[in-house]
Amino acid sequence: MRKFAAEKSKNLLAHRKLLAGGLQHPTASSSTLVSSHSHHNLLLPYSSLLLRFLTTTAANPSAPSESMSSDYSSTPVKIDSINPKVLECEYAVRGEIVNLAQKLQEDLKVNPDSHPFDEIIYCNIGNPQSLGQQPITFFREVLALCDHPAILDKGETQGIFSADSIERAFQILDQIPGRATGAYSHSQGIKGLRDTICAGIEARDGFPADPNDIFLTDGASPAVHMMMQLLIRSKNDGILCPIPQYPLYSASIALHGGSLVPYYLDEATGWGLEVSDVKKQLETARSKGIDVRALVVINPGNPTGQVLAESNQQQIVDFCKKEGLVLLADEVYQENVYVPDKHFHSFKKVARSMGYGEKDISLVSFQSVSKGYYGECGKRGGYMEVTGFALEIREQMYKLASVNLCSNISGQILASLVMSPPKVGDESYESYTAERDAILSSLASRAKTLEDALNSLEGVTCNRAEGAMYLFPRITLPNKAIEAAKAVKTAPDAFYARRLLNATGVVVVPGSGFGQVPGTWHFRCTILPQEDRIPAIVSRLTEFHKAFMNEYRD
Amino acid sequence: MRKFAAEKSKNLLAHRKLLAGGLQHPTASSSTLVSSHSHHNLLLPYSSLLLRFLTTTAANPSAPSESMSSDYSSTPVKIDSINPKVLECEYAVRGEIVNLAQKLQEDLKVNPDSHPFDEIIYCNIGNPQSLGQQPITFFREVLALCDHPAILDKGETQGIFSADSIERAFQILDQIPGRATGAYSHSQGIKGLRDTICAGIEARDGFPADPNDIFLTDGASPAVHMMMQLLIRSKNDGILCPIPQYPLYSASIALHGGSLVPYYLDEATGWGLEVSDVKKQLETARSKGIDVRALVVINPGNPTGQVLAESNQQQIVDFCKKEGLVLLADEVYQENVYVPDKHFHSFKKVARSMGYGEKDISLVSFQSVSKGYYGECGKRGGYMEVTGFALEIREQMYKLASVNLCSNISGQILASLVMSPPKVGDESYESYTAERDAILSSLASRAKTLEDALNSLEGVTCNRAEGAMYLFPRITLPNKAIEAAKAVKTAPDAFYARRLLNATGVVVVPGSGFGQVPGTWHFRCTILPQEDRIPAIVSRLTEFHKAFMNEYRD
């Protein structure tokens, strides 16, 4: 690994030089970040800001260690001849802390005593089944039957599958031309599945939904990319994003060459979204010549966990309508609400409740099978519901979808299932609700336990996770720790996360990967380890934090 | 539909105006096509060439017909304010002929006598299972068991699944951390599955393969996009593509803002690839200031069906090495070879056989579960094998993959299965080989029957389909037909295809969707309808062609 580490550090340095330099960097300003926040009064190149608030290169830990770049001198592709937008883009959720974790995991395999812990606990990513969450039985039964319809009418099948999963599989197969689950579908997804999804949206919202508005996708990420690809023409196009944000947004904006226009969520009011602040940021960006095209809202919030109040959502809808912004609503955590005083409302429901129709506001809602109580990340299913776009724009969206033919059919089927789970009277209904409720109530309890534990630590404050799958505690680091981080050229929160990992095996993502008010430090920690592991995590974290503070206390 | 049609035609006109105009079009020249072909001696804006060789807008036939764009005047996104690269990109395989087919299919549902045929036969796309091809049983058994591992140890399972599918499912699950098929995997794909794929590549080629070189993807298309995203910085970056080509390449180059540098396959020599012609095109492009980054080779060819001779491949490898080009080898039809005198050789095997190693040539091989004898298009599985790139470039590829987290796990599993099917002695071996051989020999027979039928038509010549899934006959159209096409502002081959569809229900893609020597006309027709349908297709096609020629003969 030594060679690899040396290489990586060299690359990292070169990468930083590229990002910071500008002169040699063909499009150093091709992606910019515009802000009127007191700490960001200038139009900053996005790349240089990234150095401040995103962690750095996401190296491939498993790349062959003998591959020194000097040996590749006769191959044509050099680091300074690739698309600079690719260099610029960052995705901290699978960044260098995770690479270190994978290295430590390899160490443990070779020598279980090589580190002061037995195992790595991945709290870096919302990936519930990787931490032991079991899939919902009914969903998997239907998927298995659709994968292998030949067993549907065998006697044995009735012994090992529920009656309603068999019935559902028949229904779904009947919606697929020729029952061909191995055929490319319509590029927006199988029409019958879109009908089912619309029925689910209607039941949720109480307003009509149109299957022609649904684009089924391989998870929510490709849907987000598609909207960015459609809206962004150049660095003069801006997308308003919350800070902190899920770094898919910053990565996608960078890859499409646009400008991220940040608005800050207010930590002091439970990560409140102040429309007046959004408006200030919009005006600043416009004064710099940025054409702001859309507003991203993540509700429930990632990494922040807040659930927006309906009145707040109404303000946001009015703001987008008034300012001519597309509202990009990331609603993938719609089933993950843990507190009795908050409820999820889709932005479409809110807009329709206000009397705004199809032609009043352009709204895209993203949903995924990866989150909720189902957590089926590996299935890569999801959809976007697209309303308020003229026909000729819709045609362009369809064309973009058609270039990639269609999303995977299992993911499509699963997206229809999560929007139409078993109902009262179905054979699976009781076991389904038991599985679902056990997961959701356990997530709520884990969130509370971790939140309390974090709040009991010196210099740590943590807003409650009203929803989603994360806590995003703020850590007030002693100056000595900040100096120590500087000495090793690392952001202080990345320094803390790295020390935490090395001491406990717990993997979290530094706040700099999501963006934060400059001078503040956070980390994102999922609430996903199984309940019986939480006490150990709490005690390891507490012990580490005490020792860290004792080492660095000013 | 009338309103929709009017709208569509208006949009189409506006779109054409945009593409042809240039002045109002912010980046009319952002994607260019460079050619030294006698008919193309100028550096042409890619968009204007598209008008000549690609069919036009791929409208969404199911978009709400009442959505007139004028009603959307208060929504922010207008056709002239979206990314012009999106407007420019075209994908004829799901273009307007297919939209018309879907409309006719709806007509038939309402009134079975509305057209002079009973059904639409989709020969436009390589989608075998949509035309009745059955999936390989072993593959589907394993997928079903991996979807629902809870049934693995039930007694009933042994009654309805083969022993080796149960064993294989256990093996695969053991390769997945926590057996979690619902978890995000490593962003390059599950390591154990990459190991299996590498063993398959080694068995195929006789040269080592490294799991760190494998990137599992949702079909081959996202892998192609990833390479284009990496390599293309601006319109000054060129990608050499065969003409005719599979329009994913032109679409992806347009979306990434690069220049397609065409080289022509020689129809007279069975779609031969002349390296001297490629070199001429390269030099012309370079003389125009284009930095040509890569050469795309599709082998077996799509839409052309030729299988390259090994000696030809050696020339191509030497050419890429000498000229410093990345070789992008589309090898998704590697299992689809139908003639005894031709064999598939991977470019990696050819390069390694010539003594070129990892550091001599940059080579990417694309493979997919959608093609071959398996034809599992809906599963969206595939991989690329990436060799000859320095570590820091590989890190950037990994980062791009990580932004989308991972490809779907069922597709990953299936990609491993197609590279490691049942072996002699396995319970499924005999049924597996019987299913595989029946499909492949039937495809060969269908290709031959259709080829002969086409060659018997007046003015039609058709090279044999040595491989892949298509025939690409050339049609010499009478001047009267060309004039009639001009009168309705349609390319002559699109005019022919539309007439064919309206008369017979058979859907083919006009040659203009793939590119062709100007002044020649073709269409692409798959060999995928089931064997019992072929006689009817042949007689319908023959009858139509005779009537068409009688109508327009000069």
Side-chain angles (χ1 to χ4, degrees):
Chain A
M1 284 309 289
R2 200 171 301 159
K3 265 192 182 175
F4 173 68
E7 179 63 15
K8 222 186 98 188
S9 124
K10 201 186 88 193
N11 297 335
L12 184 53
L13 209 67
H15 182 191
R16 280 195 170 142
K17 220 164 105 189
L18 266 177
L19 288 177
L23 261 185
Q24 301 85 341
H25 196 270
T27 59
S29 60
S30 77
S31 176
T32 54
L33 193 151
V34 197
S35 168
S36 75
H37 190 274
S38 55
H39 298 270
H40 291 268
N41 266 318
L42 297 168
L43 181 75
L44 290 167
Y46 182 50
S47 50
S48 75
L49 226 142
L50 271 168
L51 282 180
R52 262 191 257 160
F53 80 61
L54 296 181
T55 60
T56 43
T57 186
N60 174 2
S62 54
S65 57
E66 79 280 14
S67 309
M68 294 295 286
S69 67
S70 53
D71 297 327
Y72 283 84
S73 51
S74 66
T75 57
V77 185
K78 316 291 183 205
I79 195 75
D80 58 357
S81 75
I82 70 167
N83 179 357
K85 295 183 190 119
V86 171
L87 281 179
E88 236 173 279
C89 121
E90 295 295 343
Y91 186 69
V93 171
R94 290 213 159 168
E96 58 176 7
I97 296 278
V98 182
N99 295 336
L100 173 61
Q102 287 170 342
K103 189 201 155 297
L104 301 185
Q105 194 164 28
E106 292 301 313
D107 293 350
L108 288 175
K109 262 191 212 163
V110 179
N111 175 7
D113 297 327
S114 54
H115 294 285
F117 44 82
D118 301 333
E119 54 169 357
I120 302 290
I121 300 175
Y122 288 96
C123 299
N124 58 303
I125 187 165
N127 194 7
Q129 295 190 30
S130 76
L131 292 171
Q133 182 176 309
Q134 291 305 301
I136 300 292
T137 305
F138 174 79
F139 295 163
R140 291 303 191 96
E141 286 183 342
V142 177
L143 289 182
L145 292 168
C146 290
D147 266 345
H148 192 36
I151 61 171
L152 267 168
D153 47 16
K154 303 237 166 135
E156 291 93 336
T157 302
Q158 288 166 28
I160 47 177
F161 288 86
S162 63
D164 54 337
S165 70
I166 296 172
E167 195 191 324
R168 186 69 75 94
F170 272 118
Q171 277 172 18
I172 288 171
L173 290 167
D174 285 343
Q175 291 170 332
I176 302 178
R179 292 190 166 191
T181 53
Y184 294 128
S185 72
H186 185 285
S187 295
Q188 288 183 230
I190 292 161
K191 170 65 165 55
L193 300 179
R194 288 185 276 136
D195 289 338
T196 305
I197 288 169
C198 284
I201 293 172
E202 289 174 356
R204 181 193 71 195
D205 292 347
F207 290 95
D210 184 336
N212 295 313
D213 294 346
I214 305 295
F215 285 74
L216 281 151
T217 49
D218 292 310
S221 304
V224 170
H225 286 310
M226 195 199 285
M227 290 310 302
M228 296 301 174
Q229 186 161 46
L230 191 83
L231 292 173
I232 296 175
R233 293 160 295 186
S234 73
K235 64 172 176 172
N236 286 323
D237 283 328
I239 308 289
L240 274 157
C241 286
I243 298 294
Q245 52 108 27
Y246 175 52
L248 167 67
Y249 293 96
S250 51
S252 189
I253 293 168
L255 285 173
H256 292 97
S259 292
L260 189 154
V261 181
Y263 65 89
Y264 284 79
L265 301 174
D266 183 16
E267 187 163 13
T269 58
W271 299 113
L273 194 168
E274 278 296 328
V275 171
S276 59
D277 181 60
V278 184
K279 190 170 163 57
K280 205 170 70 179
Q281 304 295 345
L282 172 68
E283 282 166 1
T284 304
R286 283 181 175 161
S287 74
K288 311 283 182 193
I290 300 294
D291 186 350
V292 180
R293 315 239 30 207
L295 170 72
V296 173
V297 178
I298 310 175
N299 179 47
N302 174 7
T304 43
Q306 86 284 14
V307 177
L308 296 177
E310 194 171 358
S311 55
N312 198 184
Q313 292 183 270
Q314 289 169 346
Q315 294 170 331
I316 294 165
V317 167
D318 266 331
F319 174 76
C320 287
K321 180 170 161 49
K322 190 174 161 220
E323 301 291 350
L325 301 174
V326 176
L327 177 49
L328 299 175
D330 182 333
E331 300 183 326
V332 302
Y333 296 100
Q334 56 189 262
E335 300 275 4
N336 299 97
V337 178
Y338 307 120
V339 292
D341 54 328
K342 288 290 183 87
H343 302 280
F344 170 78
H345 305 281
S346 79
F347 269 103
K348 186 167 150 237
K349 173 184 162 188
V350 170
R352 296 294 178 267
S353 303
M354 295 167 78
Y356 294 141
E358 165 76 17
K359 288 155 196 180
D360 296 310
I361 179 156
S362 302
L363 170 61
V364 183
S365 165
F366 303 101
Q367 165 67 320
S368 169
V369 304
S370 304
K371 310 302 171 187
Y373 54 90
Y374 19 92
E376 292 275 19
C377 303
K379 297 295 174 188
R380 311 310 288 124
Y383 71 81
M384 60 176 177
E385 185 189 12
V386 172
T387 54
F389 290 86
L391 177 62
E392 64 258 39
I393 309 296
R394 303 282 299 266
E395 289 176 359
Q396 297 296 322
M397 291 182 196
Y398 173 78
K399 184 177 68 179
L400 279 178
S402 80
V403 172
N404 292 319
L405 296 162
C406 67
S407 61
N408 84 86
I409 305 297
S410 294
Q412 292 190 26
I413 292 170
L414 189 49
S416 83
L417 294 174
V418 306
M419 297 304 285
S420 64
K423 290 177 182 51
V424 183
D426 294 344
E427 183 183 311
S428 293
Y429 181 72
E430 276 186 41
S431 63
Y432 156 74
T433 47
E435 289 174 7
R436 179 196 65 191
D437 295 348
I439 290 168
L440 287 173
S441 67
S442 171
L443 284 172
S445 137
R446 289 178 249 168
K448 187 77 182 79
T449 306
L450 284 169
E451 176 202 318
D452 289 347
L454 286 163
N455 275 317
S456 75
L457 301 180
E458 177 186 357
V460 176
T461 54
C462 184
N463 281 326
R464 64 178 186 165
E466 299 170 343
M469 295 182 170
Y470 316 100
L471 291 162
F472 196 64
R474 177 171 175 178
I475 36 176
T476 306
L477 293 169
N479 284 326
K480 262 196 212 165
I482 293 172
E483 291 304 317
K486 271 190 195 159
V488 292
K489 296 192 165 77
T490 303
D493 49 6
F495 179 78
Y496 181 90
R498 178 176 285 267
R499 289 286 305 266
L500 173 66
L501 170 58
N502 278 315
T504 66
V506 175
V507 191
V508 300
V509 184
S512 41
F514 305 90
Q516 52 200 347
V517 170
T520 70
W521 308 109
H522 300 77
F523 61 84
R524 188 185 82 165
C525 178
T526 71
I527 58 171
L528 297 174
Q530 291 298 292
E531 212 158 330
D532 56 359
R533 317 280 282 283
I534 300 289
I537 292 172
V538 166
S539 68
R540 286 201 227 169
L541 185 63
T542 306
E543 199 183 330
F544 160 77
H545 188 80
K546 279 183 185 160
F548 183 91
M549 294 302 278
N550 286 340
E551 184 177 347
Y552 291 107
R553 195 174 288 107
D554 292 319
Chain B
M1 282 308 289
R2 198 170 304 159
K3 263 190 181 175
F4 172 66
E7 180 62 14
K8 222 186 98 189
S9 126
K10 201 186 90 193
N11 296 335
L12 185 52
L13 209 68
H15 183 190
R16 280 194 170 142
K17 221 165 104 188
L18 267 176
L19 288 177
L23 261 185
Q24 302 85 340
H25 196 270
T27 61
S29 60
S30 76
S31 177
T32 55
L33 192 150
V34 195
S35 169
S36 74
H37 190 275
S38 56
H39 299 270
H40 290 269
N41 266 319
L42 297 168
L43 181 74
L44 290 167
Y46 181 51
S47 50
S48 75
L49 225 141
L50 271 169
L51 281 181
R52 260 190 262 161
F53 79 61
L54 294 181
T55 58
T56 43
T57 186
N60 175 1
S62 56
S65 57
E66 78 280 12
S67 307
M68 295 294 288
S69 67
S70 54
D71 298 327
Y72 283 82
S73 52
S74 66
T75 58
V77 185
K78 315 292 183 204
I79 195 74
D80 58 357
S81 76
I82 70 167
N83 180 356
K85 296 183 190 119
V86 171
L87 280 180
E88 238 174 277
C89 120
E90 295 295 343
Y91 185 69
V93 171
R94 291 213 158 170
E96 57 177 6
I97 297 278
V98 182
N99 295 336
L100 173 61
Q102 286 170 343
K103 189 201 155 295
L104 300 185
Q105 194 164 28
E106 291 300 313
D107 292 350
L108 288 174
K109 261 192 213 163
V110 179
N111 175 8
D113 298 326
S114 53
H115 295 284
F117 44 84
D118 300 333
E119 51 169 357
I120 301 290
I121 300 176
Y122 288 95
C123 298
N124 58 302
I125 186 166
N127 194 8
Q129 295 191 30
S130 75
L131 292 172
Q133 183 175 307
Q134 291 305 301
I136 300 291
T137 305
F138 174 79
F139 295 164
R140 290 305 190 94
E141 285 183 344
V142 178
L143 288 182
L145 291 168
C146 290
D147 264 346
H148 191 38
I151 62 170
L152 268 167
D153 46 16
K154 303 237 167 135
E156 292 91 337
T157 302
Q158 288 166 29
I160 47 175
F161 289 86
S162 64
D164 55 336
S165 71
I166 295 172
E167 196 191 325
R168 185 70 75 94
F170 272 119
Q171 277 171 18
I172 289 172
L173 290 167
D174 285 344
Q175 292 170 331
I176 303 177
R179 294 191 163 190
T181 53
Y184 294 128
S185 72
H186 186 286
S187 294
Q188 288 184 231
I190 292 161
K191 171 68 166 53
L193 300 178
R194 286 185 278 138
D195 290 338
T196 305
I197 288 169
C198 284
I201 294 172
E202 289 174 358
R204 181 192 70 195
D205 292 347
F207 290 95
D210 183 335
N212 296 314
D213 294 346
I214 306 294
F215 285 75
L216 282 150
T217 49
D218 291 312
S221 304
V224 171
H225 286 311
M226 197 200 284
M227 290 311 302
M228 296 301 174
Q229 186 161 46
L230 190 82
L231 292 173
I232 295 175
R233 294 159 295 186
S234 72
K235 64 173 176 175
N236 286 323
D237 283 330
I239 309 289
L240 273 158
C241 285
I243 297 295
Q245 51 109 27
Y246 174 53
L248 167 67
Y249 293 97
S250 51
S252 189
I253 293 168
L255 286 173
H256 292 99
S259 291
L260 189 154
V261 181
Y263 65 91
Y264 284 79
L265 301 174
D266 183 18
E267 186 163 13
T269 58
W271 299 114
L273 193 167
E274 278 297 328
V275 170
S276 58
D277 181 61
V278 184
K279 189 170 162 60
K280 205 170 70 178
Q281 303 295 345
L282 172 69
E283 282 166 2
T284 305
R286 282 182 176 159
S287 74
K288 309 285 183 193
I290 299 294
D291 187 350
V292 180
R293 316 248 18 215
L295 171 72
V296 173
V297 179
I298 310 175
N299 180 46
N302 175 5
T304 44
Q306 87 285 16
V307 177
L308 297 178
E310 195 171 357
S311 55
N312 198 184
Q313 292 184 272
Q314 289 169 348
Q315 295 170 331
I316 294 164
V317 167
D318 265 331
F319 174 76
C320 286
K321 181 172 158 51
K322 190 174 159 220
E323 300 291 350
L325 300 176
V326 176
L327 178 48
L328 299 174
D330 182 333
E331 301 183 325
V332 302
Y333 297 99
Q334 57 188 264
E335 302 275 4
N336 299 97
V337 179
Y338 308 118
V339 292
D341 55 327
K342 289 290 185 87
H343 301 281
F344 171 77
H345 305 281
S346 79
F347 269 103
K348 185 168 151 234
K349 173 185 164 188
V350 171
R352 296 292 177 268
S353 302
M354 296 167 76
Y356 295 141
E358 164 78 18
K359 287 153 196 180
D360 296 310
I361 178 156
S362 303
L363 171 61
V364 183
S365 165
F366 302 101
Q367 165 65 320
S368 168
V369 305
S370 303
K371 309 303 171 186
Y373 54 89
Y374 19 92
E376 291 276 19
C377 303
K379 296 296 175 189
R380 312 309 288 122
Y383 70 81
M384 60 176 177
E385 185 189 11
V386 173
T387 54
F389 291 85
L391 178 62
E392 65 259 39
I393 309 296
R394 303 280 300 266
E395 289 176 358
Q396 297 297 322
M397 292 182 196
Y398 173 78
K399 184 178 68 179
L400 279 178
S402 79
V403 172
N404 292 319
L405 296 163
C406 66
S407 61
N408 83 86
I409 304 297
S410 294
Q412 292 190 27
I413 292 171
L414 189 50
S416 83
L417 294 175
V418 306
M419 297 304 285
S420 64
K423 288 177 183 55
V424 184
D426 293 346
E427 182 182 312
S428 294
Y429 181 72
E430 276 187 42
S431 64
Y432 156 74
T433 47
E435 289 174 7
R436 180 196 63 192
D437 295 347
I439 290 168
L440 287 173
S441 67
S442 171
L443 285 173
S445 138
R446 288 177 250 170
K448 188 78 183 78
T449 307
L450 285 169
E451 176 202 319
D452 290 345
L454 287 164
N455 276 317
S456 76
L457 300 180
E458 176 186 0
V460 175
T461 55
C462 183
N463 282 325
R464 63 177 186 164
E466 300 172 341
M469 295 180 170
Y470 316 99
L471 291 162
F472 196 64
R474 177 171 174 178
I475 36 175
T476 306
L477 292 170
N479 283 328
K480 261 197 212 162
I482 293 172
E483 291 305 316
K486 271 189 193 157
V488 292
K489 297 193 165 76
T490 303
D493 50 6
F495 179 76
Y496 181 90
R498 179 178 284 266
R499 288 287 303 267
L500 173 66
L501 171 58
N502 278 315
T504 66
V506 175
V507 191
V508 300
V509 184
S512 42
F514 306 90
Q516 53 201 349
V517 171
T520 69
W521 308 110
H522 301 77
F523 61 85
R524 188 184 81 165
C525 177
T526 72
I527 57 170
L528 297 174
Q530 290 299 289
E531 214 159 328
D532 57 359
R533 316 282 282 284
I534 300 288
I537 292 172
V538 167
S539 68
R540 284 200 227 172
L541 185 62
T542 306
E543 195 183 332
F544 160 76
H545 187 80
K546 281 183 185 160
F548 183 91
M549 294 302 279
N550 286 340
E551 184 176 350
Y552 292 107
R553 195 175 288 106
D554 293 320

